[in-house]
Amino acid sequence: MTHTCIHWFSKGLRLHDNPALMAALKDCKQLYPVFILDPYLHNNACVGINRWRFLIGALKDLDGSLRKLNSRLFVVRGKPEDVLPKLFTKWKVTRLTYEYDTEPYSLQRDSKVTSLAKERGVEVIYKVSHTLYNIERIIEENNGKPPLTYTKLQAIAKTIGPPKRPIPAPTMDDMKDVKTPSSENHEKEYGIPTLEELGLDTAPLGEDLFPGGEQEALRRLDEHMKRTKWVCTFEKPQTSPNSLSPSTTVLSPYVTFGCLSVRTFWWRLTEVYRGNKHSDPPVSLHGQLLWREFFYTASLGIPSFNKMEGNSVCTQVDWDTNPDYLAAWREARTGYPFIDAIMTQLRQEGWIHHLARHAVACFLTRGDLWISWEEGQKVFEQLLLDGDWALNAGNWQWLSASTFFHQYFRVYSPVAFGKKTDKNGDYIRKYLPLLKKFPAEYIYEPWKAPRSIQQAAGCIVGKDYPHPIVQHEVISKKNIQRMKLAYAKRSPESPSKSKGVKRKAPSIIEMIKKKAKVK
Ligand code: FAD
């Protein structure tokens, strides 16, 4: 039998290492590559303007690559469970393929779509390619529970063996019997919208430092992989949060949107490591990819992973509700130049270094402002190019010492931390030009500068730049005590308190088990 297939591009916006797309091409006579702009995922609360630009760039790149194979991308709008059945009928589809996605929303959506397809006699094939491993397997290997420590995850990964090797992108040969019927009206009906057509305000956009798309992802990967010594000696804690150009790969947006396969990333690193002395997990680049796997596994196995309430491994903390503090943090008005410079870079460019994320996340939560990590998570989701449901929630829990990390008494100083790698404050000067004339002695603490120095710098604290929103030395000590109380209230059965306590297998795993096995 020959098939008419829809390959539904959701996260995996690429042709390389795309096993579901390859499955679509088997015995296929007509291929419809589809991307759905889903109002639940693609709305302005979740997607900031930088992220929109990245997505549109990635779609254009994908369409360009498909055209080279005599195919096209069809962009449609609406809820997938409404849109796809209509397309099944319209195009007489017999097979639907997509990449397996473990976000709770996606699991529910895909399960609905799968039932609707099956009711219409459409064969459904989905494949794992967004993570290194099939993370259900990791959970199974750990007796149905997600590993709560990185060491445990690493041990399980070792028993499973290395991740699957990536597969190549389809070639003209794979496409020789396949047609994509597209009409003259294609642009009008299924074209990629511009930012303006989407009604977005493009005024805040700056230079496109990280253009979206698979070609750009592979080019950047190639560039990094040529730096053998850098790759082999990479140790995350030794990289700088405030260098003027990124000290890590910035491949995260490409991995998040699936422009770059994480398995391709892994195996390219393996090739660079071969025959060379190299750093190891958790600090190496392989180690970074395993962190991703760690949080993905946790996010699948722990119900309500992006919330405090109902999240069985998360310490319940009496966070304050303080819209003024939250707005000051979000809008880079805390009066701490290091924190405000980071939040400015985030808003302008959509990417900040991991340790910069540490600094602002600790500041918002347990360090200074005592605001829930869920609020910070929302801001990051909107502003980060790499905004990822599982990684964002997991890392926010870590930084707020709510889950995984419990040394709540170790608090980052919004002054001393940045100085370690940037004594002169060049990073602050770049992102907060208002402060650029302050001497190095005061750039992290302009409120301490004598009035004459503030005048000479052309910036008066309290008038041109805010006073510190809180007194870090005082508030951080208070907050450590509040955290101590929250820890004291944790029940003895709390899995994060007593390691190894058996938990009931989470309901989401049961739900997945009921589904057909992932191929
Ligand atoms: P590199 O150091 O070059 O690492 C290579 C890859 O490994 C990254 O591209 C990423 O895919 C993965 N990786 C690296 N660090 C981590 C980590 N700590 N956890 C999981 N995966 C990791 N990362 C996201 O991709 N999306 C998010 O929404 C996100 N939210 C975060 C929120 C907070 C509060 C914190 C502290 C961290 C968050 N991170 C998130 C993790 C991390 O900061 C970024 O992945 C990393 O900084 C991306 O830069 P890079 O590509 O240069 O990383």
Side-chain angles (χ1 to χ4, degrees), residues 51 224 230 234 236 239 246-256 260 262 265 269 283-296 351-362 376-377 380-381 384-400:
R51 197 116 154 256
H224 287 302
W230 182 78
F234 183 97
K236 188 65 161 273
T239 59
S247 60
T248 53
T249 65
V250 196
L251 287 171
S252 51
Y254 300 92
V255 174
T256 293
L260 175 64
V262 67
F265 193 172
L269 287 168
V283 293
S284 63
L285 278 167
H286 261 177
Q288 303 314 302
L289 298 183
L290 286 175
W291 278 117
R292 182 173 181 271
E293 219 63 13
F294 173 73
F295 289 120
Y296 260 84
W351 182 88
I352 48 176
H353 185 277
H354 182 60
L355 295 175
R357 300 181 198 208
H358 275 226
V360 294
C362 183
Q377 173 184 241
F380 269 29
E381 181 186 8
L384 277 173
L385 287 174
D386 61 32
D388 176 291
W389 192 86
L391 304 190
N392 202 19
N395 278 287
W396 270 101
Q397 286 176 71
W398 184 295
L399 259 299
S400 59

Side-chain angles (χ1 to χ4, degrees), residues 474-493:
V474 178
I475 201 80
S476 59
K477 289 197 182 81
K478 258 195 189 161
N479 288 348
I480 289 173
Q481 293 311 312
R482 285 180 89 172
M483 208 65 191
K484 199 172 176 184
L485 275 178
Y487 268 57
K489 282 192 195 147
R490 292 192 308 175
S491 70
E493 296 85 48

